[in-house]
Amino acid sequence: MKYLVSVICIISCVSAQEEWYTQRLDHFNYEDHNTWKQRYFASDEYYKSGGPAFIQIGGEGPESPAWLTKGHWIEIAKDVGAMVFIVEHRFYGESKPTNDTSVENLRYLSSEQALADLARFIQNKTAETGISDWVTFGGSYPGSLSLWMRLKYPTLIRGAMSASAPLLAKMNFFEYNEVVNRSLTNFGGRDCVQSITVATNKVEQMLKSADGRKELQKTFNLCQPLEEGDDEYFQSTIYDPIAETVQYNRDNRAFEGATGGNVTIQAVCRHMTDESVGDEVARYATIPSLFGSFYRRKRVLSRRYRSIRNGNGECVDSSYKNFIKKMRNPIFDAGRTWTFQTCTEFGWFQTTDSSKQPFRGFSLDLFLDMCDKIFGPQFSPENIKDGISESNANYGAKKIAEEVSNACLFNGGVDPWHAMSYLPHPDHTPSLQYDVNPTFHALYAPSSAHCAIMYPDHPEDPEDLKVARELSAKYVKSWLV
């Protein structure tokens, strides 16, 4: 599953001291007095007396002090003299509330507990610093948390800035690959999509014969022969580089070691239409080579927070059994903990269950089977569905845009996650700004990707992204008047 990804250490990291805050283990059980230490980072470099506090919300990965010095929120912080904080999400990074991630302990992992963590943190720091004006920032899942903070704890924060936030929890997120298809077509061309379609259809056919499976093992440099039960997992694994490229297209990330920097849709499509590389399957199999050495190490920004290669980077591990075995290990691993949240709260399983996209071979059944095999039979489709319904009832899904004040939500048209967010115009009519209510502002930049507004400015940024940054800064400042 292509993960939502909170923006973390993707720009050059800076030295900063880790700080720790004592949190309650269970905010909703007042008979439970257990506590744990939550990691955060802080800077008063830009703070001016009487200024506000900005808090960047952590998400499904470890946090880094990198964002204390760079990013769109820091430019706003400089203008208003804000103190800035980055707070890591429980069960990610070094914020470990329990000694492991057994299913019993993961009952303390939820978006509601995370929001309560933030509320307690803000209350404590307000008393400690005297700062009473707080604004939350977040991108992707933390973007959802930012809006949900304004919904659930409106007296604690003056406003919420959110980027690429999915708001509708949904089990079968087939729309993800429909947007991938549309973005590939718009920015790479129909020939590119056709080449991918041919490749994925051929792969699906080759899986039906012993000779075909042997050829796939060689072509995709698999670590072991494809066994019974590997097919769907294999097809989802080899599709990932394209999906990730689309999600982060031209997002101003400086990937260390990546060939040519950030791999774009155009680069992938040039490769997929280059007949000198080989037939469509050969082109499909060699897309990872575009990512250079970066692709050979474990990536926090990976769909399952795992390398698709083995430990030495010599081959691709496409074994479903190996994946399940790794994910069942109750260690602190972002892949395991985020998968738990999808199996209990959100769904968001990106499938090929739509005919309006070029990929094949991984249905909703694959992801439901993962929930069962990793966490146990109690994580049944019925229980997953109930958890998703509860999340939508609790947070209001997309209707939150009609209820929350002092909020700004950015979405990029290239980003597949915008299908689960709130758009100014569901029919994708280009419209940069739409005021849902007098103080909830939805921004939509058709040529931008996932969380693009959060990154530092770049001379090659599309014009709609530049305008979105200007508008969002204006809105944040208006909440502090």
Side-chain angles (χ1 to χ4, degrees):
M1 189 182 91
K2 173 58 96 173
Y3 281 178
L4 280 163
V5 175
S6 54
V7 183
I8 46 181
C9 189
I10 50 183
I11 54 180
S12 53
C13 294
V14 297
S15 297
Q17 184 176 353
E18 294 177 332
E19 299 190 50
W20 303 86
Y21 175 70
T22 301
Q23 283 286 8
R24 293 177 62 96
L25 177 62
D26 188 346
H27 294 280
F28 309 110
N29 180 1
Y30 293 99
E31 295 181 355
D32 186 342
H33 301 291
N34 290 307
T35 60
W36 59 283
K37 297 291 187 179
Q38 183 172 31
R39 184 169 70 160
Y40 73 96
F41 302 95
S43 173
D44 61 1
E45 181 178 351
Y46 322 108
Y47 182 67
K48 298 174 184 176
S49 180
F54 289 176
I55 182 168
Q56 180 156 273
I57 300 172
E60 66 284 23
E63 291 306 311
S64 159
W67 287 83
L68 291 178
T69 61
K70 294 185 179 181
H72 181 51
W73 78 309
I74 292 299
E75 297 308 311
I76 306 174
K78 291 176 181 178
D79 288 343
V80 301
M83 187 175 291
V84 292
F85 297 87
I86 301 172
V87 179
E88 194 168 64
H89 195 297
R90 58 168 57 202
F91 283 92
Y92 295 98
E94 297 303 315
S95 295
K96 302 174 181 179
T98 57
N99 60 357
D100 64 21
T101 60
S102 64
V103 173
E104 180 182 1
N105 284 335
L106 287 177
R107 62 189 165 135
Y108 300 113
L109 171 59
S110 71
S111 56
E112 285 191 283
Q113 294 282 4
L115 292 173
D117 286 340
L118 292 167
R120 183 180 172 91
F121 181 89
I122 291 172
Q123 287 176 306
N124 176 272
K125 292 303 177 184
T126 295
E128 182 180 298
T129 65
I131 300 173
S132 58
D133 294 334
W134 289 76
V135 177
T136 56
F137 291 76
S140 203
Y141 165 53
S144 306
L145 292 173
S146 183
L147 294 179
W148 295 339
M149 272 298 293
R150 182 63 183 159
L151 177 72
K152 294 292 185 176
Y153 300 94
T155 62
L156 293 183
I157 62 174
R158 293 289 295 274
M161 179 64 209
S162 174
S164 304
L167 300 173
L168 172 65
K170 190 173 187 287
M171 184 178 288
N172 192 338
F173 185 13
F174 61 81
E175 295 92 342
Y176 184 96
N177 285 320
E178 291 183 345
V179 180
V180 170
N181 177 70
R182 185 162 57 246
S183 296
L184 287 169
T185 302
N186 291 342
F187 293 89
R190 295 187 181 278
D191 289 345
C192 175
V193 175
Q194 178 60 26
S195 182
I196 294 170
T197 302
V198 171
T200 56
N201 282 333
K202 284 185 176 180
V203 167
E204 192 171 49
Q205 289 302 312
M206 292 169 73
L207 286 167
K208 296 178 180 179
S209 69
D211 288 343
R213 297 170 79 86
K214 289 180 181 179
E215 187 175 346
L216 288 172
Q217 181 186 357
K218 180 180 179 181
T219 301
F220 285 88
N221 192 27
L222 306 185
C223 299
Q224 61 278 312
L226 288 163
E227 298 181 354
E228 184 178 356
D230 286 343
D231 291 10
E232 287 200 81
Y233 178 71
F234 163 67
Q235 289 174 95
S236 74
T237 298
I238 60 177
Y239 127 99
D240 177 54
I242 293 180
E244 183 161 329
T245 295
V246 171
Q247 182 168 316
Y248 298 103
N249 187 57
R250 293 182 61 194
D251 65 359
N252 197 12
R253 292 182 297 171
F255 283 140
E256 181 183 353
T259 302
N262 185 10
V263 179
T264 64
I265 292 174
Q266 289 87 346
V268 165
C269 284
R270 282 196 299 270
H271 185 83
M272 282 304 304
T273 54
D274 185 354
E275 295 183 1
S276 68
V277 176
D279 68 6
E280 291 85 356
V281 174
R283 299 172 216 164
Y284 193 34
T286 50
I287 286 177
S289 66
L290 300 175
F291 291 81
S293 61
F294 178 81
Y295 207 80
R296 296 184 176 91
R297 61 182 173 86
K298 187 174 181 180
R299 303 161 70 177
V300 176
L301 298 178
S302 176
R303 355 186 0 246
R304 297 192 181 92
Y305 291 96
R306 52 141 176 94
S307 171
I308 68 165
R309 296 173 181 266
N310 70 351
N312 298 321
E314 296 171 349
C315 57
V316 176
D317 187 352
S318 61
S319 168
Y320 187 50
K321 289 181 181 178
N322 288 350
F323 171 70
I324 295 297
K325 180 180 179 180
K326 175 185 175 183
M327 294 288 280
R328 284 178 60 86
N329 188 355
I331 62 173
F332 279 87
D333 175 80
R336 176 176 168 83
T337 46
W338 178 246
T339 299
F340 179 84
Q341 287 194 261
T342 62
C343 293
T344 54
E345 295 189 78
F346 306 125
W348 292 330
F349 303 125
Q350 297 112 53
T351 73
T352 55
D353 292 342
S354 168
S355 60
K356 299 177 182 178
Q357 50 83 39
F359 305 102
R360 300 290 180 271
F362 43 104
S363 67
L364 179 61
D365 289 342
L366 170 65
F367 301 98
L368 297 180
D369 188 66
M370 286 182 185
C371 294
D372 177 279
K373 283 187 167 61
I374 295 169
F375 302 113
Q378 67 270 36
F379 294 83
S380 64
E382 293 77 15
N383 287 339
I384 296 171
K385 183 178 179 180
D386 287 345
I388 290 170
S389 296
E390 183 176 335
S391 293
N392 286 328
N394 189 22
Y395 299 126
K398 296 183 181 183
K399 290 185 179 179
I400 189 176
E402 301 169 6
E403 302 297 331
V404 172
S405 63
N406 287 9
C408 181
L409 170 62
F410 167 87
N411 275 291
V414 180
D415 176 23
W417 283 100
H418 81 247
M420 294 293 102
S421 193
Y422 183 92
L423 296 181
H425 297 284
D427 61 357
H428 300 92
T429 301
S431 177
L432 182 60
Q433 177 183 0
Y434 181 76
D435 295 336
V436 187
N437 65 49
T439 61
F440 187 106
H441 312 283
L443 304 177
Y444 178 67
S447 58
S448 294
H450 195 64
C451 295
I453 197 172
M454 298 180 67
Y455 297 93
D457 295 340
H458 190 278
E460 296 182 4
D461 285 338
E463 191 61 30
D464 55 12
L465 178 57
K466 295 178 182 178
V467 175
R469 286 200 180 108
E470 293 175 1
L471 288 171
S472 63
K474 181 184 73 172
Y475 298 141
V476 171
K477 293 173 185 177
S478 74
W479 307 330
L480 300 170
V481 174

